[in-house]
Amino acid sequence: MRQDHLISASHLSREDIEAVLDRAADIDADPAAFRQRHAGKVLGLCFFEPSTRTRMSFDSAMKRLGGQTVDMGPVESSSVKKGETLADTVRVVEGYADALVLRHPSEGAATMASEFVDVPLVNAGDGAGQHPSQTLLDLYTIRENAGLDDLTIGIMGDLKYGRTVHSLAEALTNFDASQHFISPESLRLPRNVRYDLHASGAQVREHTELDEVLPELDVLYVTRIQRERFPDENEYRKVAGQYQIDSETLEAASDDLTIMHPLPRVDEISPDIDDTDHATYFEQAHNGIPVRMALLDILLSQDDD
């Protein structure tokens, strides 16, 4: 990769992405070969927001590489409650670890934190900004199921606050992918994201209804309407539950449609889809292990060079 940190999907070239995905495929094929790759190394986990999949998969990935993790723990029991700044927190944890993973509710927090540390830092989500390691496992899942070129993908739900959406859309500009965005008007892609996509030459179409485009799709990426991101509860209630899919919805879909979701889900995808050939969201979550192993292996190996 071209940098020591992973802050934004916009920093990833096609070559960078394929390097991580190819390494992940190698790990998937022979995990035992990577078991002691980073014995003695320590990964610092700094999560200022709740997380299940991202925190646990980074923890598991580092341990499967032979390393260990140190966890800042809940914000409520950390020095943050005493008024410690983010800059001071990451500088302190840097002294305990060979790389850091940071999740923070403020957009831009990872960029700022990276300026204060010399070890690799991975952005594990900064508010409504970016989530690039999620994007890498999303791309890995897409590549395994539908390929990354000559691809038609629909991205549906909370496109305004959805950091997984912003990262994935930017990364897909490296490939021959036609992107369709389905959302209520109030949750459209932010203007700056739309501008960046158009500037990259992306094929972008926006819709308010899934049925306008469903038959064309190779992949449907569904996202949760994120209650915690809304500044106004009444605004959330206006759109909650507005975009849901079930087996009846999919009658118009291609037999080969791949359905993804970064999880957790609420009611966007009916459980009756879980056992169909369309559903890949649990596979997608499991792919967090080989992909994050690959990412850490590359970043930590650079540090050794």
Side-chain angles (χ1 to χ4, degrees):
M1 292 171 66
R2 298 171 298 169
Q3 61 280 323
D4 296 329
H5 307 300
L6 179 57
I7 306 300
S8 169
S10 64
H11 299 155
L12 293 169
S13 67
R14 179 170 182 146
E15 182 182 7
D16 294 329
I17 292 167
E18 290 180 335
V20 176
L21 303 194
D22 290 345
R23 184 75 55 90
D26 291 341
I27 291 170
D28 241 349
D30 187 9
F34 293 80
R35 195 167 290 154
Q36 293 300 315
R37 288 274 288 188
H38 296 285
K41 296 284 182 68
V42 177
L43 179 67
L45 303 175
C46 301
F47 280 71
F48 290 73
E49 276 190 326
S51 172
T52 300
R53 281 153 297 281
T54 303
R55 183 198 292 263
M56 291 186 70
S57 63
F58 267 115
D59 183 66
S60 180
M62 189 62 187
K63 289 172 179 174
R64 289 169 189 249
L65 289 169
Q68 302 176 55
T69 61
V70 289
D71 194 327
M72 185 184 84
V75 170
E76 292 74 17
S77 59
S78 75
S79 292
V80 175
K81 292 297 287 184
K82 302 176 184 178
E84 184 173 67
T85 65
L86 175 59
D88 281 0
T89 297
V90 294
R91 281 188 286 197
V92 168
V93 180
E94 176 189 23
Y96 310 145
D98 300 285
L100 302 178
V101 177
L102 173 67
R103 170 167 291 185
H104 198 278
S106 298
E107 190 169 343
T111 299
M112 187 276 287
S114 70
E115 296 173 357
F116 290 90
V117 296
D118 293 322
V119 300
L121 184 145
V122 177
N123 178 9
D126 60 335
Q130 289 272 322
H131 195 351
S133 71
Q134 175 70 43
T135 291
L136 289 168
L137 72 90
D138 291 343
L139 293 173
Y140 185 76
T141 307
I142 293 170
R143 188 172 79 166
E144 292 293 297
N145 287 277
L148 285 170
D149 285 310
D150 193 22
L151 175 74
T152 302
I153 180 169
I155 303 178
M156 183 175 80
D158 182 355
L159 310 185
K160 180 177 181 179
Y161 299 111
R163 58 194 175 202
T164 61
V165 169
H166 305 162
S167 290
L168 179 59
E170 288 193 15
L172 283 169
T173 64
N174 290 288
F175 302 91
D176 177 19
S178 176
Q179 301 188 55
H180 294 264
F181 297 94
I182 307 106
S183 73
E185 285 289 340
S186 61
L187 293 178
R188 292 177 65 198
L189 282 172
R191 183 176 299 175
N192 65 303
V193 176
R194 293 201 307 271
Y195 176 84
D196 289 343
L197 292 177
H198 287 300
S200 298
Q203 303 174 50
V204 175
R205 303 288 185 274
E206 294 186 89
H207 312 268
T208 56
E209 300 297 334
L210 176 61
D211 58 13
E212 295 175 16
V213 68
L214 180 60
E216 303 173 36
L217 301 181
D218 301 305
V219 175
L220 176 61
Y221 190 96
V222 184
T223 66
R224 174 175 65 93
I225 305 296
Q226 300 179 85
R227 186 176 199 159
E228 67 273 20
R229 303 284 177 214
F230 279 73
D232 185 331
E233 177 71 15
N234 290 329
E235 291 303 310
Y236 167 75
R237 289 175 180 166
K238 288 179 184 177
V239 295
Q242 197 166 332
Y243 287 76
Q244 300 174 336
I245 61 171
D246 55 24
S247 55
E248 185 176 344
T249 309
L250 298 184
E251 290 176 3
S254 162
D255 291 342
D256 296 325
L257 176 69
T258 295
I259 297 177
M260 300 173 62
H261 192 303
L263 302 178
R265 66 174 165 179
V266 181
D267 56 6
E268 313 84 48
I269 299 177
S270 170
D272 66 8
I273 293 177
D274 293 356
D275 294 326
T276 70
D277 291 339
H278 298 295
T280 60
Y281 27 90
F282 294 113
E283 171 193 340
Q284 180 183 353
H286 297 160
N287 285 338
I289 296 295
V291 171
R292 289 182 169 122
M293 285 178 70
L295 175 61
L296 291 173
D297 183 35
I298 290 170
L299 289 173
L300 290 168
S301 296
Q302 282 184 165
D303 200 41
D304 291 336
D305 293 341

